[in-house]
C-alpha cells in the first residue's frame, strides 16, 4: 500500500470534536480538492454550503434529528446536488429549447457528482488531520433545511458533513469482505451471500465489543429491519416540487 491508501483504510466517523477552528485556507483547500473529483461531462452539478453560524448550526442539528455534533463541530458542510446553474445556462444560451433539467437522468448525474466531490473532500480533510462524519439526517426535514439555506429550485441538500479536530478515539468499523463486493466478469449471487454470512460474524463481534455486549444483532438482520421500515418518504414529493424527477 501507499500513503494515500493507508489514509483511506484508516477512515472512521468522528462524532465529537474539539473547539479548534478550521481555517478559511483549510476549508478552501478541502472544497477545492472536492472539485477535482470526476464529474459527468464536466457539469459539476453540486454546491457546498459551509455553515459556521452557531444559531444556524443549532437549527440544522435539530432538523437532522437533534444530532449534537452538528452543533459542536467548527464547520458543517451541506452538500447539495445543484442543477440551478445549468438550467440558467440553458435559458440564457438556448432560450427556445426545452430544458430537461427535471429528468431522472439529470437528477442522478447531480446526485452522483455531489457524492464524488464530497468523498474527495472528506479524504482531503482527513489528510489535514481532521475528522469527519456524514449526516444523512438533514433529509429528515429536508424542506425546512432547504428553506433555511435558501436553496433555489433545481438544488437539494443531499447530506451534511461535520469537519473538525477529533476529540475521541473510535475503532474502525469493519466492512463487508471483498468477496461480497468484488465480482469478476459477472455478478456471482452465491458469492455475495456467502460474504454476508461471514460479515454477520465479523460485524456481530465488532458490535459486541463496541457496546460491551449490549448489542449483538447481525448486520443482515439490521439491514432487513432498515429495508422494511419506511423512511423519509416525503423526500420524493419535495424533490418534484424543486424541479427533479418529473420524467
Amino acid at each position: 500500500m501507499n500513503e494515500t491508501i493507508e489514509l483511506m483504510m484508516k477512515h472512521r466517523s468522528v462524532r465529537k470534536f474539539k473547539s479548534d477552528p478550521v481555517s478559511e485556507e483549510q476549508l478552501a483547500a478541502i472544497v477545492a480538492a472536492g472539485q477535482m473529483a470526476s464529474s459527468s461531462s464536466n457539469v459539476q452539478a453540486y454546491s457546498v454550503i459551509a455553515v459556521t453560524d452557531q444559531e444556524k448550526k443549532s437549527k440544522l442539528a435539530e432538523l437532522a434529528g437533534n444530532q449534537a455534533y452538528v452543533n459542536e463541530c467548527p464547520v458543517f458542510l451541506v452538500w447539495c446536488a445543484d442543477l440551478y446553474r445549468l438550467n440558467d445556462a440553458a435559458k440564457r444560451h438556448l432560450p427556445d429549447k426545452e430544458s430537461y433539467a427535471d429528468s431522472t437522468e439529470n437528477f442522478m448525474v447531480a446526485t452522483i457528482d455531489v457524492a464524488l466531490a464530497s468523498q474527495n473532500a472528506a479524504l482531503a480533510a482527513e489528510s489535514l488531520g481532521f475528522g469527519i462524519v456524514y449526516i444523512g439526517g438533514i433529509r429528515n426535514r429536508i424542506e425546512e433545511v432547504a428553506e433555511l439555506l435558501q436553496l433555489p429550485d433545481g438544488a437539494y441538500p443531499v447530506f451534511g458533513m461535520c469537519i473538525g479536530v477529533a476529540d475521541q478515539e473510535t475503532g474502525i468499523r469493519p466492512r463487508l469482505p471483498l468477496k461480497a463486493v468484488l465480482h469478476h466478469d459477472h455478478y456471482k449471487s452465491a458469492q455475495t451471500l456467502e460474504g454476508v454470512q461471514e460479515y454477520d460474524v465479523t460485524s456481530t463481534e465488532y458490535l459486541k465489543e463496541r457496546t460491551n455486549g449490549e448489542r449483538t444483532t447481525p448486520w443482515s438482520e439490521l439491514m432487513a429491519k432498515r429495508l422494511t421500515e419506511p423512511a423519509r418518504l416525503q423526500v420524493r414529493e419535495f424533490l418534484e416540487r424543486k424541479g427533479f424527477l418529473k420524467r
Side-chain angles (χ1 to χ4, degrees):
M1 293 197 297
N2 57 35
E3 291 182 7
T4 302
I5 295 176
E6 287 178 1
L7 176 63
M8 295 169 77
M9 297 300 288
K10 292 177 182 177
H11 168 73
R12 58 201 173 98
S13 293
V14 173
R15 293 179 173 85
K16 188 174 182 182
F17 299 92
K18 296 181 180 179
S19 59
D20 305 48
V22 177
S23 72
E24 283 298 317
E25 292 78 13
Q26 289 168 325
L27 177 60
I30 289 167
V31 175
Q35 287 185 273
M36 294 308 296
S38 298
S39 171
S40 178
S41 301
N42 198 35
V43 297
Q44 304 177 71
Y46 56 86
S47 291
V48 191
I49 300 176
V51 182
T52 55
D53 177 79
Q54 198 59 51
E55 183 177 345
K56 192 160 287 187
K57 279 197 300 173
S58 296
K59 183 61 178 179
L60 287 168
E62 175 193 337
L63 295 175
N66 297 310
Q67 299 188 62
Y69 28 96
V70 174
N71 186 41
E72 295 166 359
C73 68
V75 60
F76 184 63
L77 301 185
V78 181
W79 292 87
C80 305
D82 186 0
L83 294 173
Y84 174 76
R85 285 190 299 266
L86 302 181
N87 213 17
D88 177 73
K91 290 176 181 177
R92 287 188 293 109
H93 294 288
L94 296 170
D96 298 327
K97 292 280 189 177
E98 181 179 9
S99 169
Y100 289 89
D102 59 0
S103 72
T104 299
E105 168 63 11
N106 280 318
F107 168 80
M108 291 181 65
V109 164
T111 303
I112 293 167
D113 260 21
V114 73
L116 295 174
S118 70
Q119 191 56 32
N120 252 31
L123 184 60
E126 290 174 336
S127 77
L128 292 173
F130 296 113
I132 70 101
V133 63
Y134 282 94
I135 306 295
I138 64 167
R139 298 191 303 277
N140 291 351
R141 295 162 66 180
I142 190 169
E143 186 155 7
E144 291 172 79
V145 170
E147 290 176 358
L148 181 67
L149 300 178
Q150 301 178 38
L151 299 186
D153 287 349
Y156 85 95
V158 184
F159 41 68
M161 180 189 289
C162 298
I163 298 180
V165 177
D167 194 23
Q168 62 179 176
E169 289 294 330
T170 60
I172 298 174
R173 186 188 294 271
R175 297 306 203 241
L176 283 160
L178 200 60
K179 66 188 293 184
V181 176
L182 177 62
H183 305 267
H184 291 281
D185 297 322
H186 67 90
Y187 193 99
K188 298 176 176 66
S189 301
Q191 175 182 306
T192 199
L193 296 182
E194 287 172 8
V196 169
Q197 291 179 340
E198 293 177 13
Y199 188 57
D200 274 347
V201 175
T202 304
S203 62
T204 298
E205 291 174 353
Y206 167 81
L207 196 59
K208 183 178 181 180
E209 181 178 350
R210 182 178 175 181
T211 64
N212 295 318
E214 293 182 10
R215 296 171 58 192
T216 58
T217 309
W219 177 83
S220 62
E221 186 176 335
L222 292 171
M223 295 304 103
K225 183 178 180 183
R226 180 179 179 86
L227 201 61
T228 54
E229 291 181 349
R232 302 169 184 156
L233 297 183
Q234 80 283 6
V235 170
R236 177 163 185 159
E237 184 180 342
F238 164 80
L239 289 172
E240 289 175 345
R241 288 198 304 272
K242 294 295 280 185
F244 295 98
L245 293 172
K246 293 188 175 180
R247 50 185 155 175

